[in-house]
Structure formats: structure tokens, C-alpha cells
Amino acid sequence: MTQKQEHLSKNQQIVLSIIERAKGPLKAYSILYNVQKRGIKAPLQVYRALEKLIEAGKIHKIESKNAFIACKNSDCEISKTTAFSICNNCEHVKEIKNLKLSKYLSNFADNSGMKYKKYNLEFFGLCKNCKIKQ
Amino acid sequence: MTQKQEHLSKNQQIVLSIIERAKGPLKAYSILYNVQKRGIKAPLQVYRALEKLIEAGKIHKIESKNAFIACKNSDCEISKTTAFSICNNCEHVKEIKNLKLSKYLSNFADNSGMKYKKYNLEFFGLCKNCKIKQ
DNA sequence: ATAACAAACGTTATATTATAACAAATTAAG
DNA sequence: CTTAATTTGTTATAATATAACGTTTGTTAT
């Protein structure tokens, strides 16, 4: 029962709620714009909250987009292993939850003698909808 | 024999040669600093060269670091599928060339109906050297 | 409760990364 | 050659992210 169920601070809660309500990944300055009515005025306040939320596994950063998305994988406790599918057309992003994939990658070892504790995988392609339309 | 053996322009050659000589990934503004003696004066000249070099598969962007590294996988013709190992301590970055891994990921399909043509995978951990020292 | 410490906050300034817009020069293709 | 496409040079500016500092709030141990 020693869940890392962090208590979230006020700013962290505000930022998280914006990200959770969003349909897709949000950029930091777009978050900032959205939370100004709630008293958060400066970029740094947003970035600090983002940092903590990432540590807590509540959100992930989509590196190729510099954007942030809520974690839907409730069982990835600290979620150091992430995979996303990204549509090149409509920009839709979805976290991939696939046990085989995550096992495969978590156990991956090459001949470098390096053991990996963390990875981030971003797949790109056309989503079902956009494939039809084109 | 229809290799996409692009002719590289002057600026593209200059930027590529800097990246190829480097021991690790280089940041755009560090590249800029390195090529100023060769007549490239502005960020945009560097970014334009980087863009073309990525398209040509000569270099890759390490998204988590906003840095650029030469492609050592001579057989990845356009290299839309990339994997890297990154040491969290010494920051050493190495492109992973592993046929099983690339086959596995290239063939990966989840239930979303999305077919992936491109991916980028970044593994994090401690390299052999840093593991010993700690 | 309160002292001691850690975490979060607010604020200003600034660093870092990346692109827009436009005109001139160079290169490739018919 | 000449037309089209690409690359270049240049200035300005947008977008993303962190440094530094002092204050406030929250936690823990006595």
C-alpha cells in the first residue's frame, strides 16, 4: 500500500485538470493561457507543475511535439516506460497500452552492456480516419 | 541503384561534417558556433541544413535532447525508424542497430487500426562505464 | 504548539530553441 | 539558354524553457 500517491499542490492540480480535460496534448504556453484566470501568471509556474506531474506519472511529455498529455495508463505506477501513436495528419495522439510491447521493450538488451530502466517510443502514421480520407 | 544519394549543398556539407566529427549529439546553436568560421552566420542557415540532412537520413534528431547526431546505420536508407540508447549519467548517446528490434517495431500493430511507418525510440539508463563507477 | 526543515510559490529577467518573411544567388532540367 | 526549383543570406521575431531570489506554505520531530 505504499503507493506513490503524491499529494498534489494547488498549482499542480490546476495544471493537471487542464491537461486531463483536453482532447489532445497541450503545449506549455497554451496551458499558461488556460490557467491565467485561475491565478497562474508566469511560465515558470506552469513548468514547475509540469515537472512534478511528470515525476508523479500523472502526465507525459510528447517529445516530438513539446506537448503534454494526461496518463491514461492507470497501472503504470511511475510510468517510466511510455509509448504513443501519433497521426501525422490530424495530430491525434494516443498512449499505447500493450503488455507485449512493454514487456518486449523493458526486457530489451543489446550487446552494449547497458540495462534500460526507462524508454519513450513514438510511433507515427495515419490514424484510421485520416487513412480513409486520403 | 536508385539510391536517394542526394547531392548535398555547401551548407549542408559543412553542417554534416561538424556533426560527423563530433563524439556525441550536437545542439543547433553549438553547431552554429562551430561553423561561423566557415561563413555560416545565422541560426536559420543551420536549421535549414539540419532539416535537409534529416530528410536525407544523414542525421537524426535526439528529441529528448534537442540535439543532432550522425546516422551510423549505413543501411537505413531513409531511416524513418530510429532507436537510441542514452546514458543518464554521462549523456552518451548511441544509435541502436538491432534487426530483431526494428523488425518487431516495424511490424507492430495494435487494435487502433493504425499502421505505423515511422517511429523513434529512446532508451535511458546507465552505460557500462557509469554503472561501474556508481 | 513550535522550531526546523523541505516543498511550493510568486516574480522578474533571461537563456535556449526554432521559424517567418523576403530578396538574391545558385543549381537542375527542359 | 532559360525557366523552374532549390539554396542562400539576412533581419526580425516567435516559441520553449530555466536561473535566481526571496517569501509562503506544509511537514516532522520535539
Side-chain angles (χ1 to χ4, degrees):
Chain A
M1 276 303 190
T2 328
Q3 280 280 70
K4 189 170 181 179
Q5 180 68 327
E6 307 241 343
H7 169 75
L8 295 180
S9 75
K10 188 189 55 156
N11 286 0
Q12 289 159 20
Q13 282 171 1
I14 293 172
V15 169
L16 179 58
S17 75
I18 296 290
I19 296 175
E20 282 179 335
R21 263 188 267 137
K23 284 173 194 156
L26 292 180
K27 304 220 155 203
Y29 277 73
S30 143
I31 294 167
L32 175 59
Y33 177 79
N34 274 287
V35 297
Q36 278 178 333
K37 60 196 74 163
R38 294 221 242 163
I40 293 181
K41 289 173 192 158
L44 193 43
Q45 296 176 287
V46 172
Y47 280 105
R48 283 199 285 226
L50 290 172
E51 186 188 345
K52 296 295 175 181
L53 291 169
I54 289 171
E55 279 173 19
K58 301 287 187 190
I59 64 170
H60 304 295
K61 180 172 186 183
I62 309 297
E63 293 285 356
S64 61
K65 292 187 172 299
N66 297 320
F68 303 86
I69 192 172
C71 175
K72 299 274 172 48
N73 276 1
S74 54
D75 53 356
C76 63
E77 64 269 11
I78 309 196
S79 69
K80 297 214 170 304
T81 60
T82 48
F84 303 95
S85 81
I86 303 172
C87 177
N88 281 323
N89 188 244
C90 70
E91 308 237 306
H92 181 79
V93 175
K94 193 167 161 292
E95 185 166 1
I96 295 174
K97 183 178 184 168
N98 184 295
L99 198 60
K100 274 180 92 175
L101 176 66
S102 60
K103 269 193 178 167
Y104 183 88
L105 291 176
S106 295
N107 292 325
F108 179 78
D110 56 7
N111 50 16
S112 73
M114 193 160 165
K115 177 71 179 153
Y116 307 110
K117 292 166 188 161
K118 183 171 180 294
Y119 65 76
N120 179 52
L121 171 59
E122 298 181 6
F123 279 112
F124 303 88
L126 288 180
C127 73
K128 225 174 180 174
N129 262 336
C130 291
K131 220 175 353 186
I132 295 165
K133 288 175 189 163
Q134 294 208 336
Chain B
M1 275 304 192
T2 328
Q3 279 280 70
K4 190 170 179 177
Q5 179 67 329
E6 308 241 343
H7 169 74
L8 296 180
S9 75
K10 189 189 57 157
N11 286 0
Q12 289 160 17
Q13 282 171 2
I14 293 172
V15 169
L16 179 58
S17 74
I18 296 290
I19 296 175
E20 282 179 336
R21 264 187 264 139
K23 286 172 192 156
L26 292 180
K27 303 219 156 204
Y29 277 72
S30 145
I31 293 167
L32 175 59
Y33 178 80
N34 275 285
V35 297
Q36 278 177 332
K37 61 194 76 162
R38 295 221 241 164
I40 294 180
K41 289 172 190 159
L44 193 44
Q45 296 176 288
V46 171
Y47 280 103
R48 285 199 284 225
L50 290 172
E51 186 187 346
K52 296 295 176 178
L53 291 169
I54 288 171
E55 279 174 18
K58 301 288 186 188
I59 64 170
H60 303 296
K61 180 171 186 181
I62 309 297
E63 293 286 355
S64 62
K65 292 187 171 297
N66 296 321
F68 303 86
I69 192 172
C71 174
K72 298 276 172 48
N73 275 1
S74 53
D75 53 355
C76 61
E77 64 270 9
I78 309 196
S79 67
K80 297 216 169 305
T81 62
T82 49
F84 302 95
S85 80
I86 302 172
C87 177
N88 281 322
N89 188 243
C90 70
E91 308 237 304
H92 181 79
V93 175
K94 194 168 161 293
E95 186 167 0
I96 294 175
K97 182 179 183 169
N98 186 293
L99 198 60
K100 274 181 93 172
L101 176 66
S102 59
K103 268 192 181 169
Y104 183 88
L105 292 176
S106 296
N107 293 325
F108 178 78
D110 55 8
N111 51 15
S112 73
M114 192 160 165
K115 177 70 181 153
Y116 307 111
K117 291 167 187 161
K118 185 171 179 294
Y119 66 75
N120 179 53
L121 171 59
E122 297 180 7
F123 278 113
F124 302 87
L126 288 179
C127 73
K128 225 173 180 175
N129 261 336
C130 292
K131 220 174 356 184
I132 293 167
K133 287 175 188 163
Q134 292 208 339

